[in-house]
Amino acid sequence: MLFEYTRRCGVRSPVTDAATFKVARLREAPFGLCSDSKTNSVDLTDLIDSSYNYHSPRELRWHLAERFGLAPSAVALRESA
């Protein structure tokens, strides 16, 4: 399953002192479409906690896998501009 997300700024992590990000928009994007094409994509933003501060795209991928009952290897991410 391919997800396309848009970042928004988060805060510095009090644990790791690293920059974090929040997800402003999350879409399920069909494979094979150009990254600028929004046709046939499904907006899933309301299905996740948009206030959570992610440390990396990998962490986001694991959260999406858990949320949608998928294996992490079945989740692909693409960041939109």
Side-chain angles (χ1 to χ4, degrees), residues 2 4 27 29-30 32-41 78-81:
L2 175 61
E4 184 175 80
R27 295 176 180 254
L33 288 181
C34 298
S35 62
D36 61 338
S37 175
K38 301 298 180 209
T39 59
N40 298 324
S41 65
R78 176 171 64 198
E79 186 173 356
S80 67

Side-chain angles (χ1 to χ4, degrees), residues 6 28 51 62:
T6 305
E28 177 189 357
S51 67
W62 279 80

Side-chain angles (χ1 to χ4, degrees), residues 3 26 48 60-69 75 77:
F3 294 96
L26 178 70
I48 63 166
L60 174 58
R61 190 181 72 151
W62 279 80
H63 280 210
L64 292 173
E66 181 180 23
R67 176 70 174 104
F68 294 103
V75 174
L77 287 177

Side-chain angles (χ1 to χ4, degrees), residues 17-60:
D17 195 35
T20 64
F21 68 94
K22 295 180 181 182
V23 175
R25 169 160 278 178
L26 178 70
R27 295 176 180 254
E28 177 189 357
F31 283 101
L33 288 181
C34 298
S35 62
D36 61 338
S37 175
K38 301 298 180 209
T39 59
N40 298 324
S41 65
V42 177
D43 190 345
L44 303 172
T45 308
D46 292 338
L47 299 179
I48 63 166
D49 179 2
S50 59
S51 67
Y52 185 83
N53 290 302
Y54 291 97
H55 288 82
S56 67
R58 180 180 179 203
E59 182 183 15
L60 174 58

